[in-house]
Amino acid sequence: MRPAHVCLAVLVAAVWGVNFVVIEVGLDHFPPLLFSALRFLVAALPAVFFVGRPKVAWKWLVGVGLVLGVAKFGLLFIGMDAGMPAGLSSLVLQSQAVFTALFAFAALGERPGRVRVTGMVIALAGIAVAAVDEGETGPLTAFALLIGAAACWGVSNVLTRKASPPDALNFMVWVSTVPVLPLLGLSLLWEGPSRDLEALRSLDWQGAGIIVYVAWITTVFGFGAWGYLLRRHPASTVAPYSLLVPVFGMSGAALVLGESVSALRWCAAALLVGGVALTSFSKGGGVSRSGTRGVTGSHGPGRGVEPAAAPARTTASRTPSTASRPSPPR
């Protein structure tokens, strides 16, 4: 790639990595489900009026919107609100590549080759090491929620492959219209109207800036720039830059939030990122049951969309009661 395009790919990875830090701070301003609903609302409006009509069937927009927007981001935000550190969250979400490969095998008949299976085993070892580390310092329930979010991301990746959207930005903006009402409804039931109203009434410039970042910067800019790069370069050239997301996420959380990075966490990071690299970018892809070749790539940035300074929480919840193209990790 040209140097300018390399810089753009690194910038997008940085934006997505820092997004986890932004979300961590945003959870001090909003309940998690309301925060997620606002993120999709602002990502969809007014962008939906400028990206043109949907370029895939509505069944795919609704399916991805519910699985990615409601399930994946709902679990992600609740898990972080329950005590999952921002840096570790940016790392654990990369396990979506393993889930994508497994679900692609089950739903699409793509049989992974030996290298990809080896990568999956290494990545799962990294998840196990991360779980041990989190079990020593924080709640395993929050860790389990992040694993659930990664699994939902894997399902949405398979749905996206089936949809095969020709325009990543158009697809993401229209997908963002789907989760708003379901997330608002769940927020009213789970978090309560009084808590939601209090968060909205106390909205300040920092809270508004956080919403703008997670919606416009990580979603509109991030996916738009990623799609621009994918249109001009092979996916195998662009996609590896997504592995920089947990690097920026963990370093940003350490610098801004003061999160410590233990030796176990570094070990987990090395195993998980290495395993994801083998799983996502092994040459040749999988072989379908029908005999055709398939590719199960890494689809995405962690939240971002899906993604800011208070000390990191590791023990308690804030709540009183409680496509063949890889897409970026948000």
Side-chain angles (χ1 to χ4, degrees), residues 105-127:
F105 170 68
L108 305 178
E110 294 177 356
R111 295 197 301 271
R114 291 182 180 179
V115 174
R116 183 159 291 159
V117 171
T118 301
M120 292 167 62
V121 172
I122 293 173
L124 290 173
I127 294 174

Side-chain angles (χ1 to χ4, degrees), residues 75 79 84 92 99 131 134 139-151:
L75 291 172
M84 188 70 173
V92 171
F99 288 109
E134 180 65 8
L140 282 176
T141 300
F143 185 91
L145 290 172
L146 264 292
I147 295 296

Side-chain angles (χ1 to χ4, degrees), residues 135-158:
E136 294 179 352
T137 59
L140 282 176
T141 300
F143 185 91
L145 290 172
L146 264 292
I147 295 296
C152 290
W153 197 353
V155 173
S156 74
N157 287 338
V158 173

Side-chain angles (χ1 to χ4, degrees), residues 47-309:
V48 73
F49 298 110
F50 298 97
V51 297
R53 300 180 65 179
K55 298 180 180 180
V56 300
W58 268 101
K59 65 178 181 179
W60 301 120
L61 296 176
V62 172
V64 175
L66 292 177
V67 176
L68 180 70
V70 179
K72 182 257 184 175
F73 278 99
L75 291 172
L76 171 64
F77 280 45
I78 292 173
M80 290 188 65
D81 189 63
M84 188 70 173
L88 187 59
S89 297
S90 70
L91 176 65
V92 171
L93 269 188
Q94 301 312 307
S95 63
Q96 56 83 21
V98 176
F99 288 109
T100 299
L102 292 173
F103 295 144
F105 170 68
L108 305 178
E110 294 177 356
R111 295 197 301 271
R114 291 182 180 179
V115 174
R116 183 159 291 159
V117 171
T118 301
M120 292 167 62
V121 172
I122 293 173
L124 290 173
I127 294 174
V129 173
V132 171
D133 178 70
E134 180 65 8
E136 294 179 352
T137 59
L140 282 176
T141 300
F143 185 91
L145 290 172
L146 264 292
I147 295 296
C152 290
W153 197 353
V155 173
S156 74
N157 287 338
V158 173
L159 293 176
T160 301
R161 281 177 58 79
K162 295 286 286 184
S164 299
D167 185 331
L169 179 60
N170 173 283
F171 182 70
M172 191 62 205
V173 169
W174 279 102
V175 162
S176 295
T177 65
V178 175
V180 178
L181 291 180
L183 284 169
L184 284 175
L186 289 172
S187 179
L188 289 173
L189 291 173
W190 181 277
E191 295 157 349
S194 59
R195 191 178 174 203
D196 286 352
L197 286 174
E198 181 183 358
L200 294 174
R201 287 171 179 168
S202 60
L203 181 66
D204 55 15
W205 285 107
Q206 185 184 48
I210 288 168
I211 294 294
V212 168
Y213 185 91
V214 300
W216 290 352
I217 304 301
T218 61
T219 304
V220 178
F221 166 75
F223 276 93
W226 197 258
Y228 170 86
L229 292 172
L230 286 172
R231 285 193 297 272
R232 284 157 179 78
H233 303 281
S236 59
T237 300
V238 178
Y241 288 93
S242 68
L243 295 178
L244 293 174
V245 171
V247 175
F248 286 110
M250 294 179 70
S251 58
L255 291 172
V256 177
L257 304 175
E259 290 184 5
S260 61
V261 184
S262 65
L264 270 180
R265 194 163 299 179
W266 281 119
C267 179
L271 289 170
L272 188 52
V273 171
V276 166
L278 287 175
T279 302
S280 303
F281 311 120
S282 59
K283 186 176 180 180
V287 181
S288 70
R289 294 190 184 99
S290 61
T292 57
R293 303 292 296 182
V295 178
T296 307
S298 170
H299 291 257
R303 30 197 180 213
V305 170
E306 275 97 86

